[in-house]
Amino acid sequence: MRAQLFVLLVVVSSVQALTPYHGKLIHSGWGAIVDHGLTGDTYAVNENTIQIIGFSYDGNPPGGVFLLGTDKKYSAVTGAATRDPTATIIANPDGNFQALGRYDNENITLRLPPGQVLTDYTYISVWCRNFTVYFGGFDIPEGFVSPKPQNIGPLTHRAHAVYSGDVTIIDDKTISILNLRYDGQGPDAFFYVGVTDSVTTQVAPYGKIPDENGDSGVISGYAGKNITITLPDNLSFTQLKWFSLYCILFTQNFGEVFIPENLNVPPALDVAAASTTAGVTTTTMAAPVMNCEPLSNKLQISWAVEDNSIAFELAGTIDRETDYMAFGLSGSDSTFQMRNADVVVGYWKSGETAKAVDYYITSYAQCAPNGGACPDTSVSNGGANDITNIEGQFSEGVLRIKYKRSLTTGML
């Protein structure tokens, strides 16, 4: 009995609660000398977004703003009676440039100006523009590398014709697998994750995870499909050692890819949004469980109905400088037809962000006053752009654009 109890205790102690992942730590606290109750740990979400966990500031006197230096060290400006002329004021968590109010142990998200990345700056501070004093700050470490999606290579080929292209960890809860192939003959096969050094049966919460549709059943075959899988809330790729296709009944690994230690990827966007508090806005769209269908070997569409709208994600292997993606409703009820089609065109605007534009195609011609392939807002169409909640990212040659539109539009 004593030996059995000891084994049980070992198993239970090995399953630890998930520590929230906020990104890569830039600095803990606000330096050796702080005023007005400044607290918080600052993390990089990606190269142009930071979040501060547990941010406190008394908001008095008014005039406090986030000031980021571009040339000097923070130690060189502390105590100065004037503003560092090389520094930049960035928008507050509400996306405007008003003075900071009172914060009490809150989680906030800050976005850098368009076209700017974290390594363009040398320090982060809270500065009072009314009295030209610094309330606290710190240097951004030299050589700092911001989180970004990480290509971890293809799945190994071990059994049942498992094969894949690039496997990319998009964020700490999302993995993308290109060109996945599997014969579907495993009787008890699942997507499977673990924390052991080798691929073997795991103890919950590790082990099998839902597929790309959120289904927890035995997986079927894949014939060159691009898929995206999201981990359950209690797991993060930062705590895992491998991802595999695994047969639980016969304890057989069909193919795996190992996850690097000290994984430096963004935190999941919906998690980052959920961690903020009242008064903080975000453009992040929490990911619903989506249906998925490959349209070609380079393009995939996913979708989910949400109340009176439908959410889409277009994913394509493209040249972001020259190519675009498009998806929409055919101009015919019985066949594929571009003429009179209602489509969304997605592309990456260089130096900025993902774009999604509502188009209506009346003819096979460039947009003109009398028609053609025109945005809905053009003179010839006279409609409205029904696309909302646009977000996107480009990584490892794959452009992903998410957007929403109403289930009923003027073009339907």
Side-chain angles (χ1 to χ4, degrees):
M1 174 65 78
R2 193 174 300 170
Q4 292 175 344
L5 179 60
F6 176 76
V7 171
L8 175 62
L9 288 174
V10 169
V11 170
V12 171
S13 65
S14 67
V15 180
Q16 300 177 353
L18 175 63
T19 300
Y21 176 72
H22 304 298
K24 185 173 181 179
L25 181 67
I26 303 173
H27 195 273
S28 182
W30 287 90
I33 301 175
V34 297
D35 285 323
H36 298 283
L38 278 182
T39 65
D41 297 332
T42 304
Y43 294 83
V45 173
N46 51 43
E47 65 179 7
N48 49 36
T49 308
I50 62 178
Q51 61 177 335
I52 306 173
I53 304 302
F55 180 63
S56 294
Y57 167 58
D58 65 14
N60 186 32
V65 293
F66 289 103
L67 185 71
L68 276 60
T70 59
D71 181 53
K72 301 177 180 179
K73 296 287 188 180
Y74 181 67
S75 59
V77 300
T78 306
T82 59
R83 169 183 164 179
D84 173 8
T86 70
T88 299
I89 295 175
I90 66 169
N92 64 27
D94 293 317
N96 60 57
F97 292 88
Q98 295 179 6
L100 297 172
R102 178 182 175 86
Y103 291 83
D104 185 10
N105 195 31
E106 300 180 27
N107 299 344
I108 64 173
T109 300
L110 304 172
R111 302 186 186 279
L112 302 182
Q116 298 294 301
V117 296
L118 193 58
T119 51
D120 292 331
Y121 299 96
T122 55
Y123 68 81
I124 299 172
S125 71
V126 175
W127 178 77
C128 180
R129 58 188 171 194
N130 289 355
F131 294 94
T132 63
V133 294
Y134 291 85
F135 295 154
F138 52 83
D139 291 330
I140 299 171
E142 292 186 11
F144 185 85
V145 178
S146 297
K148 64 179 181 179
Q150 187 166 343
N151 184 342
I152 59 174
L155 290 164
T156 53
H157 322 314
R158 298 199 182 276
H160 288 283
V162 166
Y163 171 88
S164 81
D166 288 340
V167 177
T168 302
I169 298 180
I170 304 298
D171 56 47
D172 82 296
K173 288 187 174 294
T174 311
I175 192 167
S176 166
I177 307 165
L178 299 183
N179 195 26
L180 177 62
R181 296 181 181 275
Y182 161 56
D183 65 14
Q185 298 303 304
D188 195 32
F190 299 88
F191 293 111
Y192 207 79
V193 295
V195 293
T196 51
D197 290 336
S198 60
V199 179
T200 185
T201 302
Q202 300 292 292
V203 175
Y206 314 115
K208 65 180 182 180
I209 59 173
D211 65 14
E212 72 276 17
N213 299 315
D215 189 343
S216 298
V218 174
I219 58 176
S220 56
Y222 292 89
K225 188 175 183 181
N226 299 337
I227 66 171
T228 300
I229 294 175
T230 302
L231 290 176
D233 289 343
N234 60 343
L235 293 178
S236 167
F237 281 111
T238 59
Q239 70 181 143
L240 301 175
K241 292 189 175 181
W242 44 263
F243 169 91
S244 73
L245 273 73
Y246 187 81
C247 180
I248 296 176
L249 180 63
F250 291 101
T251 63
Q252 184 179 12
N253 173 25
F254 296 165
E256 88 287 334
V257 62
F258 283 92
I259 299 168
E261 294 183 3
N262 302 316
L263 193 65
N264 187 22
V265 295
L269 295 177
D270 53 336
V271 172
S275 70
T276 60
T277 54
V280 180
T281 60
T282 177
T283 59
T284 298
M285 179 172 65
V289 175
M290 305 188 90
N291 303 288
C292 181
E293 187 70 30
L295 302 176
S296 70
N297 62 354
K298 290 188 175 183
L299 184 64
Q300 172 182 295
I301 184 70
S302 304
W303 71 95
V305 175
E306 301 176 340
D307 298 324
N308 296 320
S309 64
I310 183 168
F312 290 98
E313 180 186 72
L314 270 176
T317 305
I318 70 170
D319 183 332
R320 69 175 180 179
E321 301 298 330
T322 60
D323 296 345
Y324 65 89
M325 308 181 292
F327 176 80
L329 297 173
S330 171
S332 167
D333 292 334
S334 58
T335 187
F336 299 110
Q337 178 178 299
M338 286 186 63
R339 187 186 297 272
N340 297 323
D342 181 15
V343 303
V344 173
V345 177
Y347 60 96
W348 186 269
K349 190 169 182 180
S350 181
E352 292 192 29
T353 185
K355 299 288 184 182
V357 182
D358 205 358
Y359 271 71
Y360 188 65
I361 302 173
T362 58
S363 66
Y364 301 110
Q366 291 184 344
C367 186
N370 61 345
C374 298
D376 279 10
T377 54
S378 67
V379 173
S380 58
N381 284 337
N385 188 354
D386 298 308
I387 306 306
T388 62
N389 294 74
I390 300 169
E391 63 175 80
Q393 61 180 320
F394 185 86
S395 174
E396 306 294 341
V398 178
L399 175 61
R400 296 180 181 276
I401 298 179
K402 292 182 180 180
Y403 60 91
K404 280 186 179 181
R405 67 181 306 168
S406 173
L407 285 174
T408 56
T409 71
M411 296 297 180
L412 297 181

